[in-house]
Each structure stands twice: as C-alpha cells, then as structure tokens.
Amino acid sequence: MQGEVVSVNSSPTGGIGKDPMPEIRLIAGHGVEGDFHAGATVRHRSRAAKTPELPNRRQVHLIHSELFDEMAALGIDVQPGRMGENITTRGLSILELTVGARLHIGESVVVEITGLRTPCTQLNSIDERLLQQVARKLEDGSIMRKAGIMGVVVEGGVVRAGDAIRVETREGVGVRLEPV
C-alpha cells in the first residue's frame, strides 16, 4: 500500500487546527518539533490533567484527505490542518491499518500507528455538523471514528507535501485500531 503526503501542519498552541507548513521535522520518541502535542509523555489536555506521566501515544496525528472530499459532498468545508492533523495523506486507507503498522514517510521518517483519534466537540467550530459525521453511533451501539489515526515517531526526519508514504505491516502485530 502506498500513498502520499498532501499537507504537513503544526501549531505551538493547543486547540483545534494546525497551520500548513512547507515542512515539519519529526523527532523520534517526541513527535513534531515545535508542535503543542509533541513530547514523550501525554500532552492531550484532558489526559495530561489526569495522568501526565503516561507515555504519549498521540505524538503524530494523520488524516486522509479523502475524508475532506466526503465532507465536501455534504457541504462541509474542511481544509488540511483544520482538524488538527500533522500530516494529511492521500491514497491510503489509513483507518484500515492495524496497531503497530509502520508508515515510512519521505526519505527517513517512520511513524508507528498506535490507534484512532477520538474526535471531540471542538470539531463543531469548523462546522456544527462535523463531529456527527466523523464519530457516528452505529446500530450495535459502537462508534465509528473517521477523524484520523495517531502514531509515535520511531525514526525522525523531515516531511514535506509530495513525500511518498509506504505502509509496512509487521508480523505478530495486527490488532484492530481502537481509540487512544
């Protein structure tokens, strides 16, 4: 499976939305250099308030740009970075990946997938219908989450729009993605 980077995004402050950048630098065990959510331990505000010593399994947030196409068909305008992702992808079924899959991005970056993003009400600041579209309750009571995936940086380097993304599935790893 192969795809490409559409946009790279970062923000030094918390909250929804990250700014598109010409490039971002990923640091192993840390995340995106200068990004609010980077760090070895939990950075997400609600989680950090309860258990700040836990490892940060949400160092990098990726969203597939095909989601933006799907939202546009509903009249919801979402641009790269607006939903808080660091890397916007195209051509990969990222929601079908499994825990432990590795994304080789550009020349040297490796991001290991840890789980699904849990979307929150902040998304409704983009459009009041957005959260309902990316976190749908199914008939069996489960929630289908489509707001991207999270990962940790295994090998660092620079990522730019246009970089290739190659998926490496690993033997002995393959648990279905759950929220992190």
Side-chain angles (χ1 to χ4, degrees), residues 146-179:
K146 300 191 304 185
I149 59 174
M150 309 303 290
V152 295
V153 182
V154 176
E155 294 183 32
V158 173
V159 177
R160 297 175 186 90
D163 281 351
I165 305 171
R166 180 179 57 83
V167 177
E168 173 193 359
T169 54
R170 298 171 51 223
E171 192 172 318
V173 181
V175 176
R176 185 172 172 254
L177 294 179
E178 295 293 331

Side-chain angles (χ1 to χ4, degrees), residues 2-15:
Q2 192 147 349
E4 73 172 315
V5 175
V6 173
S7 180
V8 292
N9 317 286
S10 182
S11 176
T13 59

